[in-house]
Amino acid sequence: MIAWTATFIAIFFALCGIGILGALVLPSRHGIVLGWIGCLASSALALAGANSLLAGTIFNRPLWAVPGLATLTLGLDPLSAVFLIITGLVLFPASIFAAGEMGRSSRLNGRAFTIQMLALYASIGLIFLAGDALLFLLAWEMMSIICYLLIVSSREKENAQAGPGYLLLAMGEAGTLAAALGFLLLAASAGTLDFNAIHLVAPDIGEGVRWAVFLLSFFGFGVKAGLVPVNFWLPQAYEAAPRAFVPVLAGATLNLGLYGILRVNAAAMPAAHVGPGLLALLIGVVTALIGILYATTDNDLKIMLAHSSIENAGIITAGLGAGMVFLAANLPIPAAIAFAAALYHLVNHSLFKTLLFFGAGAVEAQTGTRNMDKLGGLIRWMPLTALAFLAGTLSIAALPPFNGFASEWLTLQTMLRAAELSTPGVKLIFALSGAGLALTAALAVTCFVKVFAMSFLGMRRLDETRRVIEPKAGALVPMFILAVLCLLFGVLPTYVIPVLGLAAGPLAGASTADALVPPFFPSNPAHNTLPPEFVSDFHNIGAQVGQSFLPGRGLVVLHRGGAENPVVFAMSTAYMFVVLIVLLLLTYIIVRVWLTRGRKLSRRARWDGGVRRLLPEMTYTATGFSNPVRVVFDAVFRPTMVEDTRETVSEHFRTAILREKERVHLVDKLVFHPVRAAVMKLARGLASLHHGRLNAYAAYVLLMLLAVMVIFLLFQKV
Amino acid sequence: MGLFELKEKIEQRWPGQAKCLFDAKGAECEITCGREVLPWLCGWLFLGYDCSYAGLVVEEGASQWQLRHVFYNDGGFIHVLPGAPLAEKTFPSIVEFVHAADWHEREAEDMFGLVFEGHPRLGDFILHDDAWQENVEPMRRGFDSHAAMSRRKPDTGWRPHRIVREPGAFVMPIGPKFSGVTESVHFLLETVGEDVIRFTPRLFYKWRAIEKLAEGKKADDVLLLAERFAATTAFAHGLAFCQAVECICGTEVPERAKVLRVFLAELERLRQHAGAIQEICESTALVVAASQSGIFEEEMLRASGGLTGHRYLFGLLAPGGLLCDLADNACRVALERSKKALAELNELERRLRVSSSFLDRLEEVGSVASETAAAYGLLGPIARASGVVRDMRRARPYSGYEKFQFDIPGEQEGDGYARLRVLFAEARQSVRIMEQAVAFLQEGPVRQPVELRAGAALGWVEAPRGGAFHWVRLDEHGHIVRYHVAPPSFANWHGFHLAVEKFAFQDFPIMLSSFDLSVAENDR
Amino acid sequence: MSQWVFNGIRAGIKTTAYPKGAETAAGTTPGLPAGGDFGAAAARALIERCPTQVFSLADGKVKANVRRCIHCYRCVRAVENKANWEQTYEWTITREGQNEFLSAFKKSIHILVVDAGDCGACLNEVRQLNNPYYNMHRLGFFITPTPRHADVLLAVGPGTDHMRPALKKIYDAMPGPKKVVAVGACALSGGVFAESFVCANGISDVLPVALEIPGNPPPPLAILHGLLVATGRGPAASVLSMLLSGSEAAK
């Protein structure tokens, strides 16, 4: 079995290599290379992960002993395997989409783009497969640089600035540096760079080092994940990135940051104290809230989705933090549930966010704009895109039966498990976090109602001369692949959770499947472990339905509590889905076939108050729709009026009212701008030393020499 | 004192360029002036001589255009007349100094095809551009309505006039059919959501062209129109028309008719103010207060119906007096009912003054500053709530108002609450006048036969919503040659945007109700 | 706020007895002219005097077409041969060829009020239906702002040119079965505005009118009667008109 896993991994790297070579050799048609090779490579990656996870094969194989440093090790454990599957699932459609994009966009340098993309695939794979800190960091660095190249080298607009790319690189490097420091500290305390070896000695690491490692790795990797306060690069980079690349950025590389945090703080060095977990939880909730607030009020499809990625990373981090707290508080079952919820949401976010970026890319490509104030009514010209995009928005807005509902609901319910914690302060933080996440979920609905309604529904606001048509299959097929996956992951959580549990369980030391998916199907071997009266209660309400034709444990997700309260919560999106369809059909039958039989269906023009002609400019814009949120949260946004002028003729006739508000992102204002100002000040101070006078430079040298001598003398004495 | 001093001042400023002509009492002055001094002269009257603007009357003479900018102050009426041959269709606009003339000039442009040089926004006013082609000039003598109708070619590319340049700004359309029981009017609210940045009313959905309809009709028949174009203030408009006709014909209205006219006009004011208060209470969703003020309004309607047979006082006025006499007793009964209603209205006001949730929605909402109210020429209770205290009953008394003791309530704040206070205070004054009127009643005839003759005159009243001005020109057979109405709602709609802008959507119905605007009165 | 509740209760019940009993308070209706037997000269004078041609001569008797009456009172005030004037309020006229409502509409309907150039009086009388005296809600009549919920289109005003497209749009936007009720002389015949080139001769020029409520304006009770007739529960007109006596109006 190990052989299969290894073979798939080998095939993956080989394909990436072949693809790069092919792109170098071929004069044109690079899109085909990227499409086919990318699909095959990502399939191999997913298969490798699936094989490893389901067959339970883990391996740890020394690769190359770097003289004087350490041994590079390839390692694969359930955690990496889950991430391999997710990445494979995302890269498969992303490759098709990118290939389609390359066929259309003349600005993209096909050869460079293909090579960079495939190299990125390989580096991402390598990060997950790294068994020690050194290989991990090397792969990480490679990935960072390729991301930078992808953003900078293939800018779509000529006038676009390189700023976002540099910012991404600088922030990425700063993050890497912090993470590397964390690793070094960890390695110094543990005496090894190998993750498995670290895990063995982790319980002996002191509290101070633990905190230092946690903080460094959390905020270091948090850069990639987009956590507050190190996420100011993210919306700019996403905006600057080409359409073909953004889905990968959101669906695959964002996960890397979370993987890094998990790898260090949950897998290698499990938390021993609730502190780090609580910090992660709080940061997660704040990130989620800030992310969704800016997502709701932004009108640029791409930037808005970037802010929403930040929000989802926050939700995932909150789940992780909750898991870490439970783990430190010695509650393995809630911890397993929390980790499973976080991983579940991570999978889901990758799926629906990639889908939404495909949709946004398709809309931009077909209409020439991403500004929702200028879109509208696209469903009439792009019905298939609209359908797939709708699936994505329903998923991200966490509406059943789509996948976002299952994972966000699990995350929220996990917060309620705080009742089992003993410290009141921790309970309070959990309660507040739960409230914060609930607000986030509510705003997310507003946000994506706006996105879908303003882009696809209503009246067309686009220039009438522009011809808008459905995109080609190259864009539609990947969207529908992901839309179907979104639905499946939403309807069948009882099949997803046990698989994710294979990774989440070992982190927490408890079985996630047992904790969340009770084996209600009698055909399942574990069925007899449940108390019979408990089972019969649930069988009475139909929990066994489907046993005859479905494998697995059951279709109900359930938190089991203690004797007093045997069920904390239970849900079944699968049954819900069936009931939903039955109800819809019944409604149709009752209303159309029975109650109104024989009546003609009449369609009337929309009611517009009786105006002669309703014009597109007389309908709500995206700005108008989200303005209440903007007004309510003014205290957060703190907009500054940059222009508020009235032009008048003869004092009372106004000919123009010009208004513009500027909103500086909260994190920019509180973190980025002060840091930038401090750096600039430092740089100016340093620059003032460089005035070009030779005698001064001689004096510097002299002073330096003196200082060195003093230090030398001091140390000599010791 | 009259207006005689004006002559010297005008001649000093514009020597030889303007000619003043006074009537015997010096209460009316006609200034004929050249087109180049027109804006300056009007501007000086409006800004420097404490004059209010009543309106612009355009008349198409046999060979000459006769434009008549009507101003008035406590001394009398001043008509400024720039004449021009019919071929000349361009006149200087006076809006640079007299912003109150804005809509009057737009109306003249739409109705006569005149061009006002210097007016920045002409067109798309009474005749909507998306309903009518250009060059339809319905008030011209030779206007062929059949031709205009059959050659309908509206501007299909019509777009709302937008001036707000802010990302995401849009125009929120309201109406013409909106809300429950409302008059038809279309609002365009420029906004980015939540707040109204710019407000544009699109009126004249109800335009019935009564001025055109009146042409060539007998005065008696036009009285029916004057009463019925804005029936919530039917008596006031009917009275203004009758007074104009009586002025032309030199009819002396009998004393009893004068007193009864005052009594009825105040009864109507009381009823109309009760209705306005009811709408304010309703717009703030204060249900009990809305119901109670509804009771007062119905009480007053029943009092009017009981006294005169008609709840809106139709069919009473006639040029020369009243169509029929009213019994003193019946008047006393109506007065008692009014007093009873007023007592309860006072009680309602006392309770409203201590209902903070109600006041929160009115105070500092829809404020109109005193200077803008004056510049826009706002009229009636709206203007008085903003500190522009001019009342035709006091400034240019008619129908014997000079005999009555009454106060003209004014407030300074100009917000919704100030307007509500003015309504309550005026209702009290109305009852006070009615009491005096009943005391003044003496036996006598109520109608003096009118000997119709050619001529033109202005009739004015202080209608419940403000000063109303009716210009009437009769030919020698007593038929109407030109009938022009400048109703108070026309002026107040013009300034309504001052109150609405910068406020949130949810305050809009409250401001609309507190302005007590009539679309019927405006649309004519 | 509690003072309002108390105060509201203390005001007592003001609601009219109509339609269970007759409303006899003064000033609730302006009344309408009626035909009758006049001498030839008097009849001619009557016909000439009326500015809206209400009266006509048929078989030697004067007939009054109350649809056209605008309450100018010129047939009864300051003249010798007064027309008959009836102080009633149940005036609704049913036009033929209009579909009846289904029985589902008997208890309650939603009404959309459209102003098609009204002078304000009819609209104000419709507004009075919501005040405690008439309280139309007790009879299951509700005003709705949207045609989507409306069963009855209550139109006032002569149908001005600018409102015609809106009227058609509103009618089209209403779901069937639906009825148009024209309220007031202007909506019935154009009233004093009929000759204006921008006014229709009433709403029936634009929409199919099912019921007509004459009067200028018809008092709230007349409108109430019209709505009752629209829902198929209008009380018989003749019985009630006998109960009513003359008014203290015009001598």
Side-chain angles (χ1 to χ4, degrees):
Chain A
M1 279 298 148
I2 293 178
W4 275 115
T5 310
T7 315
F8 282 130
I9 290 171
I11 290 174
F12 167 70
F13 284 113
L15 280 171
C16 288
I18 292 169
I20 291 172
L21 279 177
L24 276 174
V25 174
L26 281 176
S28 65
R29 302 172 77 79
H30 299 104
I32 291 173
V33 175
L34 180 58
W36 282 105
I37 298 284
C39 282
L40 288 174
S42 49
S43 310
L45 201 63
L47 284 172
N51 195 275
S52 157
L53 198 61
L54 296 175
T57 53
I58 52 173
F59 66 83
N60 205 14
R61 193 162 294 167
L63 201 64
W64 179 41
V66 186
L69 255 176
T71 312
L72 296 182
T73 317
L74 270 187
L76 184 61
D77 63 359
L79 187 62
S80 338
V82 163
F83 277 90
L84 285 185
I85 300 176
I86 304 169
T87 312
L89 283 181
V90 168
L91 292 186
F92 185 85
S95 303
I96 306 175
F97 186 79
E101 268 297 312
M102 285 168 67
R104 185 166 43 198
S105 173
S106 56
R107 294 244 169 75
L108 232 48
N109 178 344
R111 177 175 290 151
F113 187 75
T114 306
I115 293 169
Q116 285 161 2
M117 281 291 271
L118 289 172
L120 183 70
Y121 289 9
S123 65
I124 292 174
L126 200 56
I127 289 172
F128 293 134
L129 288 166
D132 70 311
L134 189 61
L135 184 59
F136 183 93
L137 286 174
L138 284 175
W140 185 274
E141 195 61 9
M142 186 173 145
M143 178 274 300
S144 281
I145 291 167
I146 297 169
C147 280
Y148 162 74
L149 288 176
L150 274 165
I151 290 177
V152 174
S153 67
S154 42
R155 272 172 278 141
E156 276 163 358
K157 283 188 215 132
E158 271 118 2
N159 60 350
Q161 290 170 358
Y166 289 131
L167 194 60
L168 170 127
L169 190 67
M171 282 307 296
E173 287 308 302
T176 315
L177 200 64
L181 265 175
F183 270 133
L184 283 179
L185 262 177
L186 194 59
S189 311
T192 172
L193 281 170
D194 188 276
F195 290 141
N196 282 345
I198 293 172
H199 181 66
L200 292 176
V201 295
D204 306 328
I205 297 173
E207 192 63 22
V209 177
R210 277 178 174 278
W211 266 107
V213 170
F214 167 72
L215 290 176
L216 284 169
S217 62
F218 185 72
F219 289 109
F221 291 125
V223 171
K224 262 277 153 331
L227 298 183
V228 166
V230 283
N231 58 8
F232 39 81
W233 64 275
L234 195 142
Q236 301 177 33
Y238 277 35
E239 189 198 359
R243 287 197 289 270
F245 173 51
V246 183
V248 179
L249 206 52
T253 63
L254 184 118
N255 294 347
L256 295 173
L258 298 161
Y259 173 75
I261 293 170
L262 260 177
R263 172 57 68 197
V264 176
N265 296 299
M269 185 191 65
H273 186 263
V274 294
L278 283 182
L279 185 63
L281 175 61
L282 283 177
I283 293 276
V285 172
V286 171
T287 306
L289 266 177
I290 290 182
I292 195 61
L293 277 180
Y294 281 94
T296 310
T297 50
D298 209 295
N299 294 326
D300 185 304
L301 266 179
K302 221 165 158 188
I303 299 176
M304 170 266 142
L305 286 174
H307 282 297
S308 150
S309 281
I310 293 175
E311 173 230 338
N312 281 287
I315 295 174
I316 297 163
T317 311
L320 292 182
M324 285 159 72
V325 173
F326 285 127
L327 199 57
N330 228 343
L331 292 164
I333 292 178
I337 293 171
F339 284 133
L343 280 181
Y344 199 175
H345 198 64
L346 190 142
V347 180
N348 292 342
H349 171 250
S350 296
L351 296 177
F352 55 61
K353 190 48 63 66
T354 313
L355 164 57
L356 290 173
F357 268 119
F358 289 163
V363 166
E364 188 192 357
Q366 302 307 103
T367 64
T369 179
R370 299 189 308 247
N371 188 346
M372 283 184 258
D373 278 343
K374 300 203 172 102
L375 295 170
L378 292 184
I379 197 165
R380 264 160 290 166
W381 293 277
M382 304 166 71
L384 292 174
T385 313
L387 185 65
F389 198 87
L390 180 64
T393 49
L394 289 174
S395 307
I396 199 167
L399 294 173
F402 286 89
N403 58 0
F405 171 74
S407 56
E408 261 192 59
W409 202 62
L410 268 181
T411 311
L412 275 172
Q413 290 291 354
T414 309
M415 296 295 148
L416 297 182
R417 294 300 289 259
E420 288 162 40
L421 292 162
S422 48
T423 332
V426 179
K427 277 188 191 177
L428 186 68
I429 290 177
F430 266 71
L432 289 176
S433 305
L437 287 181
L439 178 59
T440 309
L443 282 171
V445 175
T446 317
C447 176
F448 283 93
V449 164
K450 166 187 151 180
V451 171
F452 188 75
M454 290 301 150
S455 309
F456 290 97
L457 306 180
M459 292 178 87
R460 178 182 163 134
R461 281 185 286 257
L462 274 177
D463 182 13
E464 275 151 29
T465 53
R466 180 155 186 128
R467 197 167 145 263
V468 179
I469 49 160
E470 195 82 71
K472 290 216 174 73
L476 286 175
V477 167
M479 281 162 73
F480 275 94
I481 291 175
L482 287 172
V484 169
L485 282 177
C486 281
L487 184 61
L488 284 180
F489 274 62
V491 175
L492 302 171
T494 52
Y495 295 89
V496 181
I497 290 170
V499 175
L500 295 175
L502 294 175
L507 294 178
S511 164
T512 314
D514 284 346
L516 273 176
V517 191
F520 282 125
F521 284 177
S523 53
N524 194 278
H527 180 66
N528 295 329
T529 57
L530 290 173
E533 60 274 20
F534 181 76
V535 171
S536 71
D537 276 357
F538 270 83
H539 277 194
N540 284 346
I541 54 172
Q544 79 285 19
V545 171
Q547 52 166 310
S548 52
F549 55 92
L550 285 174
R553 301 169 71 94
L555 291 172
V556 179
V557 179
L558 185 142
H559 271 209
R560 285 179 66 191
E564 217 171 285
N565 179 20
V567 181
V568 178
F569 76 83
M571 67 143 183
S572 169
T573 42
Y575 292 140
M576 204 196 295
F577 184 56
V578 173
V579 170
L580 202 68
I581 288 178
V582 169
L583 281 180
L584 277 176
L585 276 176
L586 266 180
T587 312
Y588 180 82
I589 289 166
I590 289 173
V591 173
R592 282 303 294 148
V593 181
W594 183 38
L595 282 179
T596 61
R597 68 183 176 284
R599 292 216 204 137
K600 267 207 316 250
L601 186 74
S602 66
R603 288 186 172 279
R604 312 272 169 176
R606 61 169 134 43
W607 173 234
D608 51 16
V611 289
R612 288 195 189 86
R613 197 157 70 91
L614 192 73
L615 298 163
E617 59 255 51
M618 291 182 181
T619 59
Y620 254 80
T621 55
T623 313
F625 186 86
S626 56
N627 207 40
V629 177
R630 210 169 283 131
V631 171
V632 169
F633 290 96
D634 247 0
V636 177
F637 296 126
R638 293 196 175 276
T640 43
M641 196 66 104
V642 288
E643 179 158 35
D644 189 7
T645 42
R646 278 151 190 267
E647 288 170 12
T648 55
V649 178
S650 309
E651 196 181 344
H652 293 292
F653 290 100
R654 289 153 311 156
T655 49
I657 298 175
L658 303 148
R659 298 205 326 172
E660 203 178 336
K661 279 183 190 153
E662 193 179 60
R663 291 189 310 155
V664 180
H665 194 286
L666 191 65
V667 175
D668 279 3
K669 191 152 46 182
L670 296 181
V671 183
F672 181 49
H673 289 179
V675 168
R676 192 178 57 184
V679 170
M680 292 303 274
K681 206 171 168 188
L682 190 69
R684 268 197 296 277
L686 287 175
S688 68
L689 296 176
H690 284 271
H691 38 56
R693 258 171 286 163
L694 203 61
N695 44 4
Y697 286 123
Y700 296 155
V701 174
L702 201 66
L703 281 173
M704 195 65 204
L705 262 174
L706 275 173
V708 169
M709 276 165 77
V710 168
I711 293 166
F712 185 71
L713 285 172
L714 279 175
F715 273 87
Q716 279 251 303
K717 264 185 199 156
V718 176
Chain B
M1 62 167 201
L3 295 166
F4 291 121
E5 55 153 23
L6 202 59
K7 187 177 171 72
E8 193 183 325
K9 288 186 173 176
I10 298 266
E11 275 174 5
Q12 198 182 340
R13 278 187 170 73
W14 295 280
Q17 288 169 300
K19 208 167 68 200
C20 296
L21 213 103
F22 297 91
D23 72 343
K25 281 179 275 178
E28 213 170 295
C29 167
E30 283 195 352
I31 304 173
T32 323
C33 70
R35 36 193 307 135
E36 60 288 346
V37 299
L38 177 73
W40 303 97
L41 202 152
C42 291
W44 174 76
L45 284 172
F46 191 65
L47 301 169
Y49 197 64
D50 187 33
C51 278
S52 300
Y53 187 71
L56 167 64
V57 184
V58 181
E59 288 176 277
E60 191 180 356
S63 63
Q64 282 265 319
W65 283 111
Q66 196 178 40
L67 266 68
R68 185 182 294 268
H69 289 286
V70 184
F71 294 85
Y72 63 94
N73 63 10
D74 294 355
F77 281 92
I78 302 156
H79 301 237
V80 183
L81 301 152
L86 281 180
E88 180 69 69
K89 291 186 89 175
T90 313
F91 285 86
S93 167
I94 64 166
V95 291
E96 194 179 348
F97 306 110
V98 189
H99 190 65
D102 173 12
W103 279 17
H104 292 274
E105 287 186 357
R106 287 181 72 177
E107 182 188 344
E109 193 262 357
D110 249 13
M111 295 290 97
F112 289 93
L114 298 179
V115 178
F116 290 89
E117 256 175 357
H119 194 299
R121 199 154 299 140
L122 293 170
D124 194 27
F125 191 57
I126 293 179
L127 299 167
H128 297 165
D129 281 0
D130 49 348
W132 292 92
Q133 63 274 38
E134 287 294 309
N135 301 325
V136 177
E137 293 150 6
M139 290 305 286
R140 289 296 297 269
R141 246 200 323 267
F143 175 68
D144 179 358
S145 64
H146 288 289
M149 281 292 203
S150 58
R151 279 191 236 117
R152 264 324 239 292
K153 219 174 104 197
D155 173 11
T156 49
W158 181 87
R159 296 251 173 224
H161 182 258
R162 298 174 69 185
I163 60 165
V164 175
R165 310 261 176 277
E166 184 175 356
F170 65 101
V171 183
M172 180 144 138
I174 299 179
K177 171 61 207 153
F178 66 103
S179 195
V181 186
T182 48
E183 293 191 77
S184 291
V185 54
H186 185 38
F187 303 124
L188 294 164
L189 277 57
E190 278 186 79
T191 174
V192 284
E194 294 301 286
D195 290 339
V196 182
I197 302 174
R198 183 200 181 213
F199 170 87
T200 320
R202 216 160 176 241
L203 290 149
F204 299 103
Y205 272 90
K206 294 167 60 166
W207 180 58
R208 288 146 290 173
I210 60 156
E211 295 180 8
K212 187 74 189 170
L213 196 52
E215 282 176 9
K217 275 193 167 27
K218 286 186 294 186
D220 271 352
D221 289 344
V222 176
L223 174 62
L224 296 175
L225 283 176
E227 273 181 346
R228 279 162 186 78
F229 80 92
T232 48
T233 51
F235 194 82
H237 287 292
L239 182 56
F241 175 79
C242 286
Q243 286 177 1
V245 174
E246 287 152 10
C247 179
I248 295 167
C249 308
T251 316
E252 193 54 46
V253 179
E255 193 55 32
R256 183 175 174 84
K258 275 187 175 177
V259 175
L260 280 174
R261 279 175 171 188
V262 168
F263 183 82
L264 291 168
E266 295 306 318
L267 182 65
E268 181 178 78
R269 191 184 318 279
L270 186 59
R271 192 213 67 228
Q272 179 50 35
H273 282 7
I277 291 165
Q278 200 268 341
E279 292 220 10
I280 293 175
C281 293
E282 203 166 88
S283 70
T284 52
L286 195 58
V287 182
V288 178
S291 294
Q292 293 192 335
S293 39
I295 292 174
F296 306 142
E297 193 186 357
E298 175 67 19
E299 266 301 312
M300 297 319 299
L301 281 165
R302 287 182 181 192
S304 310
L307 174 65
T308 71
H310 195 273
R311 288 155 63 91
Y312 294 86
L313 312 178
F314 285 4
L316 269 170
L317 279 166
L322 293 176
L323 201 57
C324 65
D325 197 2
L326 299 173
D328 290 12
N329 240 347
C331 289
R332 247 171 244 126
V333 170
L335 175 65
E336 285 315 309
R337 285 180 91 159
S338 309
K339 275 168 135 175
K340 218 175 118 228
L342 181 74
E344 289 187 42
L345 211 58
N346 284 335
E347 175 63 15
L348 177 74
E349 189 191 10
R350 192 192 59 73
R351 272 197 301 274
L352 287 175
R353 274 169 180 259
V354 293
S355 295
S356 55
S357 68
F358 173 75
L359 296 183
D360 283 347
R361 304 217 60 188
L362 281 174
E363 276 182 309
E364 287 167 37
V365 165
S367 304
V368 180
S370 182
E371 308 83 68
T372 34
Y376 273 73
L378 298 190
L379 294 170
I382 314 300
R384 292 195 277 273
S386 289
V388 181
V389 184
R390 182 162 271 166
D391 188 314
M392 296 311 292
R393 292 174 291 175
R394 179 66 49 80
R396 305 296 313 133
Y398 54 90
S399 195
Y401 262 111
E402 61 275 6
K403 292 190 303 187
F404 291 85
Q405 300 281 319
F406 62 100
D407 299 327
I408 300 166
E411 301 281 349
Q412 292 300 322
E413 291 89 341
D415 60 356
Y417 186 38
R419 291 194 277 276
L420 182 70
R421 289 201 304 271
V422 167
L423 289 178
F424 275 114
E426 289 196 357
R428 278 190 286 277
Q429 295 303 321
S430 290
V431 173
R432 194 174 153 198
I433 295 170
M434 284 162 72
E435 264 183 313
Q436 296 172 48
V438 169
F440 288 150
L441 274 179
Q442 283 171 352
E443 284 301 309
V446 290
R447 191 171 181 190
Q448 172 77 28
V450 177
E451 287 169 32
L452 291 169
R453 58 180 184 224
L458 186 73
W460 67 91
V461 290
E462 180 72 18
R465 295 187 176 94
F469 306 91
H470 290 231
W471 177 260
V472 179
R473 184 177 290 279
L474 297 179
D475 65 10
E476 54 275 22
H477 309 295
H479 289 190
I480 303 285
V481 178
R482 174 83 172 107
Y483 176 42
H484 176 75
V485 187
S489 287
F490 188 64
N492 290 344
W493 270 113
H494 179 216
F496 180 51
H497 76 91
L498 296 168
V500 187
E501 284 165 7
K502 289 187 178 165
F503 285 95
F505 289 160
Q506 70 263 27
D507 291 327
F508 182 71
I510 296 171
M511 292 183 283
L512 193 61
S513 65
S514 80
F515 246 71
D516 184 25
L517 294 160
S518 166
V519 183
E521 200 177 73
N522 175 82
D523 286 5
R524 284 160 284 165
Chain C
M1 279 299 103
S2 55
Q3 52 148 344
W4 284 112
V5 179
F6 176 67
N7 194 259
I9 294 167
R10 207 183 49 184
I13 296 169
K14 301 269 184 191
T15 312
T16 173
Y18 188 78
K20 284 209 180 94
E23 174 63 63
T24 50
T28 48
T29 173
L32 276 179
D37 242 336
F38 294 89
R44 206 175 322 111
L46 210 55
I47 291 166
E48 268 171 26
R49 219 176 285 131
C50 182
T52 50
Q53 296 88 43
V54 170
F55 301 103
S56 57
L57 214 55
D59 308 331
K61 282 185 174 179
V62 172
K63 261 181 66 185
N65 179 6
V66 290
R67 294 175 69 246
R68 306 190 61 87
C69 178
I70 57 162
H71 293 150
C72 64
Y73 297 98
R74 286 181 190 174
C75 53
V76 285
R77 285 180 183 169
V79 288
E80 275 165 27
N81 297 307
K82 291 189 169 75
N84 294 324
W85 197 267
E86 287 184 350
Q87 213 67 19
T88 55
Y89 48 78
E90 296 194 317
W91 301 334
T92 309
I93 302 160
T94 317
R95 280 170 66 114
E96 282 175 17
Q98 298 301 323
N99 295 333
E100 278 303 306
F101 267 157
L102 302 170
S103 60
F105 293 89
K106 190 141 189 161
K107 299 269 182 207
S108 170
I109 46 167
H110 278 69
I111 301 151
L112 182 83
V113 183
V114 183
D115 166 14
D118 174 54
C119 62
C122 293
L123 214 55
N124 208 43
E125 296 292 46
V126 172
R127 216 160 59 79
Q128 298 310 316
L129 290 175
N130 263 334
N131 80 27
Y133 278 108
Y134 302 107
N135 185 16
M136 71 199 295
H137 291 184
R138 78 199 147 102
L139 299 168
F141 301 139
F142 299 94
I143 304 273
T144 174
T146 159
R148 294 283 193 245
H149 301 165
D151 311 307
V152 161
L153 195 159
L154 202 90
V156 294
T160 53
D161 181 72
H162 283 171
M163 275 307 285
R164 249 175 274 183
L167 271 175
K168 286 198 186 105
K169 267 191 163 185
I170 290 164
Y171 185 74
D172 286 344
M174 283 168 64
K178 52 192 168 186
K179 267 186 185 176
V180 179
V181 177
V183 175
C186 303
L188 267 50
S189 64
V192 286
F193 307 114
E195 291 164 44
S196 172
F197 77 103
V198 283
C199 289
N201 290 322
I203 298 296
S204 55
D205 273 12
V206 190
L207 297 177
V209 173
L211 292 173
E212 292 183 331
I213 306 174
N216 189 15
L221 290 171
I223 303 170
L224 220 49
H225 177 249
L227 292 173
L228 289 167
V229 171
T231 50
R233 42 188 173 132
S238 53
V239 183
L240 278 155
S241 58
M242 289 194 307
L243 291 170
L244 287 161
S245 52
S247 78
E248 49 186 311
K251 300 168 292 182

